């Protein structure tokens, strides 16, 4: 039941979210994507949501591959929010080691620091990564690894 509820929530979120195109002052088109983070004070959160978003612009250049876009989004996400009402779900020192794409599936390999997460903290961090990356229309699913291995 819990897994099907999470899948349903993810599907609904994917339907409602997406990177929107916008033009900057140089005329180069950008993709404005949302980076998902934890809300620092749940009592202040609208609707009591545990996650909040912050916009991040990705250049939309023909030379940018999906690989580059996924890496850029992940690096921006791991850098943490600039909005003081949000906080990063990732332990300090979490770094992106590698992204591997297999069709529409993104495999994200993170540093050992990510292994310090468990329980709901791990679930929320995984969710932030998945919601952020699946805004790219070519990414339909995400796996998260730590130094090449799945977490239990």
């Amino acid at each position: 039941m819990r897994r099907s509820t999470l899948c349903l929530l993810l599907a609904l979120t994917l339907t409602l979210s997406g990177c929107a195109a916008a033009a900057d002052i140089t005329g180069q088109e950008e993709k404005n994507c949302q980076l998902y983070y934890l809300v620092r004070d749940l009592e202040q959160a609208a609707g009591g949501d545990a996650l909040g978003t912050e916009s991040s612009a990705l250049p939309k250049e023909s030379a940018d591959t999906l690989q580059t876009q996924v890496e850029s989004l992940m690096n921006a996400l791991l850098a943490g929010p600039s909005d003081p009402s949000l906080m990063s779900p990732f332990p300090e020192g979490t770094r992106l080691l590698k992204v591997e794409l297999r069709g529409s599936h993104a495999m994200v390999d993170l540093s050992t620091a990510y292994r310090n997460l468990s329980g709901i903290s791990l679930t929320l961090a995984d969710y932030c990564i998945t919601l952020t990356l699946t805004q790219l229309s070519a990414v339909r699913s995400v796996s998260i690894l730590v130094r090449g291995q799945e977490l239990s």
Side-chain angles (χ1 to χ4, degrees):
M1 174 75 174
R2 181 176 174 228
R3 184 176 178 92
S4 62
T5 303
L6 184 59
C7 289
L8 178 61
L9 287 173
L10 181 58
L12 180 59
T13 304
L14 291 176
T15 303
L16 299 175
S17 67
C19 296
D24 68 6
I25 56 174
T26 63
Q28 181 182 13
E29 202 170 306
E30 293 180 337
K31 285 184 177 182
N32 289 317
C33 293
Q34 299 302 309
L35 302 176
Y36 285 81
Y37 295 105
L38 300 178
V39 171
R40 189 172 298 278
D41 182 2
L42 290 178
E43 291 181 14
Q44 299 289 324
D49 292 333
L51 301 180
T53 61
E54 185 170 275
S55 290
S56 177
L58 284 178
K60 184 182 177 187
E61 301 173 4
S62 58
D64 274 354
T65 63
L66 178 60
Q67 177 87 24
T68 303
Q69 290 178 344
V70 171
E71 288 172 358
S72 295
L73 268 180
M74 275 304 304
N75 285 321
L77 184 64
L78 291 172
S82 58
D83 183 341
S85 69
L86 301 173
M87 63 184 194
S88 176
F90 313 112
E92 189 172 326
T94 302
R95 294 178 299 106
L96 178 65
L97 300 179
K98 177 174 83 168
V99 171
E100 185 178 331
L101 297 168
R102 293 181 183 166
S104 62
H105 182 78
M107 295 176 62
V108 177
D109 196 3
L110 300 173
S111 63
T112 306
Y114 198 77
R115 192 178 306 275
N116 294 327
L117 293 173
S118 64
I120 191 67
S121 297
L122 176 60
T123 301
L124 289 171
D126 287 349
Y127 200 44
C128 287
I129 293 170
T130 302
L131 288 173
T132 298
L133 294 183
T134 54
Q135 291 175 86
L136 298 171
S137 60
V139 177
R140 298 278 185 210
S141 61
V142 176
S143 294
I144 301 164
L145 308 171
V146 174
R147 300 194 56 81
Q149 298 185 357
E150 291 183 15
L151 293 175
S152 57

